[in-house]
Amino acid sequence: MDKDSQKEGIVYIKTFGCQMNFHDSDILRELLIQSGYMIAGKPDDAGTIIFNTCTVRDHADSKFYSELGRYSKSDKKIIVAGCLSQIAGRSLIKRAPFVHAVVGPQYLYEIPHIITGGSVVLTDDNPEFYIHSRPEIKKLSASVDIMYGCSRFCSYCIVPYTRGREISRRPDDIYDEVCRAAENGAREITLLGQNVNAYSYEDIDFAALLRKVAAISGISRIKFMSPNPASMTDRQIREISYIPKCVPHIHLPLQSGSDRILKLMKRGYNSSGYMKKVEKIEKYIKDAILTTDIIVGFPTETEQDFEQTLKIVGDVGFFNSFMFCYSKRSGTQAGAMEGQVSMVVSKERLGRLIEYQQNITVKKLERYKGSIMSIFVDKQKESGFAGRTRQDIVINVKSGSAVLGKFVPVEVCGISKHTLKGKELA
Ligand code: 5AD
Ligand code: SF4
């Protein structure tokens, strides 16, 4: 027997994509340990490699395929999980016959069993996925899924096809999971969902869930990712403002500033509707900061459409933005649209947008210079530490002795690209 196949019980997990995928990998790691597997720190040490994939943009696909290619001649057992698996299914085995199993996001819990089993492709709807209780994960900053999937079908987005339709978890299960996270040392909790504020289970909506979670002692900060502007109600905004544990940082994906493009994207709001939500957030939530996601080069986007995006970015004054070139996803509505914009044009617009946003970010960061802010220390470095303010802004402190999991005051003394530099107070 060769060396790699003897190491089948040692697993390396490589994760691509969003916070949801990283959280799935945390769950998977615990499940594997419970089942007697060992987790390797690097691929060379493992006999089994699990790729937890993303397919939201073409770039994510290419990154994965180029990594996968490296294993074509290896004896390691290769398992492909996550969103790309759901779309590629059996065709992935045809393209890469050395792949042992292809497992969609709803089969995460099966992975420990299929490592030793025969070759499989698991991508059908799996209702059992939703009733699994979650393993305990010990983290200072813990994430908890509150809902899965998305039923909005924005015309550019592959997620409803990879993660399935929206389904909310039972509030009592969420409550228990947050309580266990707090008992295991979590001080911060992030509620996760593709369309998180559309959470709804019987008579409990997102606002009611926030209230329930906020009552759990031990948890000092509550975050949530990602809300959708179309599902954001006045009641939610008021509730966030009434709960001091909710961080005043709202990530509200805009996607475009052009009403014509927003309509083609099927976002369910126009620019003035979006601005009204922003005004309400700023009115009710003290010291709120806003961040967003933007796509440039959506089919038929003109220079005028793009200028409307720049305008709204300036009007809102986002603290930061995640900015992307539109990536054609086959199977989505926009993938079949006429008027695809060339990559050259998209990249040029993206460059301008990034520069515009960076200038805004710098101005926003500059305002904090000289102020004293309390940070939650979530990273310790060789010398110094890093933490996050109440608004979830990262402050790096070069030298100091603060310990993980503590709240400490620091003085802001400078800025980096998206973060602040701080000094520990004596
Ligand atoms: N092309 C480019 N960006 C996309 N996003 C989702 N689908 C696409 C696509 N086809 C972006 C959106 C979303 C973020 C998670 O990814 O901005 O909010
Ligand atoms: Fe990628 Fe979207 Fe899947 Fe997250 S949900 S892993 S971003 S495709």
Side-chain angles (χ1 to χ4, degrees), residues 18 55-58 155-159 194 226 251 253-255 267 292-296 322-329 332 334:
C18 65
T55 189
V56 78
R57 281 171 291 276
D58 189 46
S155 63
Y156 53 82
C157 189
I158 196 85
V159 169
Q194 301 294 345
S226 277
H251 183 73
L254 165 68
Q255 312 302 1
R267 288 292 290 170
T292 199
D293 292 346
I294 293 172
I295 298 175
V296 300
F322 294 94
M323 297 160 276
F324 312 104
C325 283
Y326 166 74
S327 173
K328 182 173 166 173
R329 304 284 69 199
T332 62

Side-chain angles (χ1 to χ4, degrees), residues 363-374 395 409-415 419-423 425:
K363 283 197 194 109
K364 300 255 165 197
L365 287 168
E366 291 277 359
R367 283 192 210 151
Y368 292 101
K369 267 194 188 162
S371 58
I372 293 178
M373 301 173 95
S374 169
I395 304 191
V410 295
E411 184 182 340
V412 179
C413 56
I415 66 167
T419 57
L420 294 169
K421 294 177 189 169
K423 265 196 318 231
L425 293 177

Side-chain angles (χ1 to χ4, degrees), residues 155-198:
S155 63
Y156 53 82
C157 189
I158 196 85
V159 169
Y161 308 92
T162 61
R163 295 245 172 200
R165 303 298 132 82
E166 250 161 57
I167 180 157
S168 293
R169 281 179 75 197
R170 286 176 24 168
D172 289 348
D173 291 346
I174 297 168
Y175 184 84
D176 287 349
E177 201 175 319
V178 179
C179 287
R180 279 193 285 137
E183 281 158 20
N184 282 328
R187 292 291 159 266
E188 247 186 20
I189 208 85
T190 304
L191 306 176
L192 288 180
Q194 301 294 345
N195 191 3
V196 79
N197 55 334

Side-chain angles (χ1 to χ4, degrees), residues 58-221:
D58 189 46
H59 182 61
D61 291 14
S62 320
K63 262 189 2 203
F64 158 69
Y65 282 119
S66 84
E67 286 238 5
L68 182 69
R70 292 209 225 142
Y71 293 93
S72 60
K73 300 216 161 52
S74 109
D75 290 313
K76 296 186 196 296
K77 197 164 244 188
I78 306 295
I79 294 180
V80 185
C83 291
L84 186 138
S85 317
Q86 187 65 31
I87 297 295
R90 208 158 286 283
S91 71
L92 198 77
I93 305 241
K94 267 202 193 135
R95 176 172 178 165
F98 56 92
V99 168
H100 175 71
V102 180
V103 219
Q106 290 177 18
Y107 287 87
L108 192 70
Y109 286 77
E110 306 298 324
I111 294 176
H113 314 300
I114 63 173
I115 293 179
T116 46
S119 180
V120 282
V121 174
L122 298 173
T123 51
D124 293 341
D125 261 356
N126 178 18
E128 273 187 40
F129 175 71
Y130 305 108
I131 48 175
H132 271 294
S133 65
R134 303 293 176 260
E136 295 195 15
I137 301 171
K138 293 193 172 100
K139 279 191 151 185
L140 280 174
S141 183
S143 298
V144 172
D145 300 307
I146 65 164
M147 48 102 67
Y148 303 104
C150 181
S151 303
R152 294 207 68 91
F153 287 92
C154 297
S155 63
Y156 53 82
C157 189
I158 196 85
V159 169
Y161 308 92
T162 61
R163 295 245 172 200
R165 303 298 132 82
E166 250 161 57
I167 180 157
S168 293
R169 281 179 75 197
R170 286 176 24 168
D172 289 348
D173 291 346
I174 297 168
Y175 184 84
D176 287 349
E177 201 175 319
V178 179
C179 287
R180 279 193 285 137
E183 281 158 20
N184 282 328
R187 292 291 159 266
E188 247 186 20
I189 208 85
T190 304
L191 306 176
L192 288 180
Q194 301 294 345
N195 191 3
V196 79
N197 55 334
Y199 177 86
S200 172
Y201 193 98
E202 291 170 355
D203 56 344
I204 306 279
D205 64 3
F206 183 63
L209 184 76
L210 280 177
R211 199 127 295 215
K212 206 170 153 73
V213 169
I216 298 171
S217 60
I219 298 297
S220 304
R221 286 182 183 169

Side-chain angles (χ1 to χ4, degrees), residues 254 256-259 262 267-275 312:
L254 165 68
S256 171
S258 152
D259 288 345
L262 285 170
R267 288 292 290 170
Y269 56 84
N270 57 19
S271 57
S272 73
Y274 185 91
M275 283 310 284
I312 197 164

